[in-house]
């Protein structure tokens, strides 16, 4: 077996190690550093170094080697940490990440960045502890024994450490590779065993920590056991070596066994998921498997097809009518199939669900760096990190959230002196939260800054030529910040001010089937809320009938339905019509007009008004009939056909026909565009409605 087969595992686990390293660095208190955090950072670097050496990634190995040595001085108290040191360590982590990406893409890492960070680390060592880091503080994991520092090979008794490495349940091919790696770590004194348990006696300066740091990228933690056998006998002639080692190893074995956990402890605490777990967690980790997202998506698609088939069977049984009533076996079987299909769908969907901690963990660094550039003091608080969201949405929500966070830091939270003059704490507070709300997930970005100035936003909008009025609601005024090119920044900085980003935020979130809402109070802060569906694969929908066509409305957008009365409908200026619902005037969207559906009901009082919400606004959609609620499988229309205005996706109904899933805001825009172009079909004469406009 080629060692290249393990590359993907190394890259994934090294990513996790770097992420944990960054988190510990951001949480580190330089005035009173936690020894456990320093040890965790050190062990993360040590594990990456060992793996990099194993796979021949020399530049990454050298970088982590120097970084590890400096960290070793820090954890021993020989280096007094300062804030600028942590900045340098974070920069080193970033460069290590770039090197990792380069090796992943089969490219050579940036030599200039490597030389720069090494020089910076050496300079810190020279200034703070009076020496450079040329001599390694610990033997590099992959290096041959002869390159390891002689002083680390020698125990207190002046002899080499002897370790017994047991490989458990490892096949012949894999075992040969592992034994080759062990030969790079020390001298093999003896080896024997079978597939279930193969024992290798190793001498040299290598520690259990070094061995596990390398092996964690190749085999599971519970497939290796390391036991200290004590000190090896003094060097003897080659022909007598193996014979002399055995008695020396077996004599202290019983006494040395209690010390084995102490040797393995450093590896348990390393930042890697495989290497840091305690025994119970290691067992749990070994029961998990890594599966590509494509395979999970394929299963989800098959489950979707199963649900469509189940809907077809339901439709067939329903069409049988009285013939199926007396067949209890058929009825019971269909009920059981429906329940099992639903449970299967929920179980499969849960595989794709990822906790929001995956997203939130990126922002301590963003906040720290941005606050440093702006000269502000910021406290970041995260809530609801365990809330789960579909993986495809998690990947797409990161960029919009980053824009919102940077916007709050730059425009929302005031400078420390300004906050103090206003009676606020010098340190501003930024909160990232996530929680479930019905069938959606609600993500909030809250700050305790200056809030939004309504008058200033309106003035800036007029400068930009936007059509605004003083009678606009606060919510509509706040939505102006999402207009392309809109910015209230007094000057352009490298953080913001060019008026790009926020419009992309809104467009991206709408593309995920979500919406953005803003709540703000001048002088107290701003709360930006993102409402997203939990998943994009399967959704609960409301089936509606317009003419002979069936459409689907996402159930999360439906608020209520009612029969409109003529006295509650008003003709506005132009061709707009509104419906009065409990003192609120809602724009009316007649689906048959917008989508040119024939044979539809054109009398609004004989239609049903479905009150829906999109982009924070409410609309009244006129439909002929409500069919009912059902679960539908979302099919991407653009991949199979093309983008259709007012339609977000499609699905297959129980009778095999295709139904379009409507886009609320897209329908409203399409309705306005058609009216402005004078292309609305089947529109009743406006004199039908009250001529007076609502006050």
């Amino acid at each position: 077996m080629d060692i290249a087969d393990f590359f993907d595992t190394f890259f994934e686990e090294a990513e996790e190690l770097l992420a944990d390293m960054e988190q510990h660095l951001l949480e580190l208190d330089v005035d009173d550093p936690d020894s456990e955090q320093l040890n965790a950072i050190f062990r993360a670097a040590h594990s990456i170094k060992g793996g990099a050496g194993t796979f021949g990634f020399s530049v990454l190995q050298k970088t982590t080697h120097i970084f590890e040595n400096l960290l070793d001085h820090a954890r021993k108290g020989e280096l007094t940490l300062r804030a600028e040191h942590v900045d340098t360590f974070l920069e080193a982590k970033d460069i290590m990440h770039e090197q990792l990406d380069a090796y992943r893409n089969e490219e050579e890492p940036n030599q200039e960045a490597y030389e720069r960070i090494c020089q910076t680390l050496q300079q810190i060592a020279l200034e703070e502890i009076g020496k450079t880091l040329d001599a390694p503080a610990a033997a590099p994991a992959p290096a041959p024994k002869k390159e390891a520092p002689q002083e680390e090979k020698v125990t207190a008794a002046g002899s080499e450490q002897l370790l017994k490495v047991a490989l458990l349940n490892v096949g012949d091919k894999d075992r040969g590779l592992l034994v080759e790696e062990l030969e790079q770590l020390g001298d093999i004194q003896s080896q024997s065993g079978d597939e279930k348990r193969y024992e290798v006696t190793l001498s040299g300066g290598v520690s259990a920590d070094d061995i596990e740091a390398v092996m964690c990228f190749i085999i599971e933690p519970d497939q290796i056991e390391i036991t200290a056998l004590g000190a090896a006998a003094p060097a003897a002639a080659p022909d007598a070596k193996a014979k002399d080692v055995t008695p020396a190893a077996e004599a202290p074995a019983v006494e040395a066994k209690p010390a084995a956990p102490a040797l393995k402890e450093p590896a348990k605490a390393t930042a890697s998921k495989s290497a840091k777990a305690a025994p119970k967690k290691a067992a749990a980790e070994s029961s998990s498997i890594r599966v590509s997202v494509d395979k999970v998506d394929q299963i989800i698609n098959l489950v979707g097809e199963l649900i469509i088939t189940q809907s077809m069977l339901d439709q067939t049984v329903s069409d049988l009518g009285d013939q199926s009533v007396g067949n209890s076996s058929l009825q019971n079987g269909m009920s059981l199939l429906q329940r099992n299909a639903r449970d299967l769908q929920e179980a499969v969907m849960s595989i794709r669900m990822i906790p929001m901690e995956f997203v939130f963990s990126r922002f301590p660094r963003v906040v720290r760096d941005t606050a440093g550039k702006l000269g502000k003091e910021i406290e970041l608080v995260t809530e609801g990190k365990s809330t789960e969201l579909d993986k495809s949405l998690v990947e797409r929500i990161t960029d919009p959230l980053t824009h919102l966070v940077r916007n709050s830091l730059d425009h929302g939270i005031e400078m420390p002196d300004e906050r103090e003059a206003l009676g606020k704490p010098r340190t501003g507070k930024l909160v990232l939260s996530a929680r479930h709300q019905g069938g959606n997930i609600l993500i909030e970005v809250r700050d305790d800054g200056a809030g939004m100035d309504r008058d200033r936003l309106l003035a800036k909008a007029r400068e930009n030529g936007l059509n605004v009025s003083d009678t606009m609601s606060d919510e509509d005024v706040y939505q102006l910040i999402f207009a392309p090119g809109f910015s209230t920044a007094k000057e352009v900085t490298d953080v913001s001010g060019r008026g790009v980003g926020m419009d992309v935020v809104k467009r991206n979130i709408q593309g995920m089937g979500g919406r953005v809402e803003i709540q703000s109070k001048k002088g107290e802060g701003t709360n930006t809320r993102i409402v997203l569906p939990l998943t994009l694969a399967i959704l609960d929908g409301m089936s509606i009938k317009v003419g002979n066509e069936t459409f689907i409305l996402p159930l999360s957008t439906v608020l209520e339905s009612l029969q409109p009365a003529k006295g509650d409908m008003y003709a506005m200026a132009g061709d707009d019509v509104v419906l009065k619902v409990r003192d609120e005037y809602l724009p009316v969207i007649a689906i048959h007009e917008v989508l040119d559906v024939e044979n539809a009901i054109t009398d609004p009082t004989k239609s049903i008004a479905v009150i829906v919400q999109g982009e924070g606004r409410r609309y009244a959609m006129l439909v002929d009939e409500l069919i009912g609620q059902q679960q539908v499988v979302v099919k991407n229309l653009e991949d199979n056909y093309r983008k259709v205005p007012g339609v977000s996706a499609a699905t297959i109904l129980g009778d095999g026909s295709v139904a379009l899933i409507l886009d609320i805001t897209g329908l409203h825009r399409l309705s306005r565009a058609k009216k402005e172009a004078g292309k609305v079909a089947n529109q009743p004469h406006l004199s039908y409605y009250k001529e007076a406009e609502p006050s």
Side-chain angles (χ1 to χ4, degrees), residues 625-637:
E625 181 185 351
L626 297 179
I627 299 176
Q629 176 184 342
Q630 68 181 104
Q631 195 176 52
V632 297
V633 179
V634 179
K635 299 291 185 180
N636 192 309
L637 202 60

Side-chain angles (χ1 to χ4, degrees), residues 571-576 693:
M572 300 287 289
D575 292 338
D576 286 342
E693 297 182 12

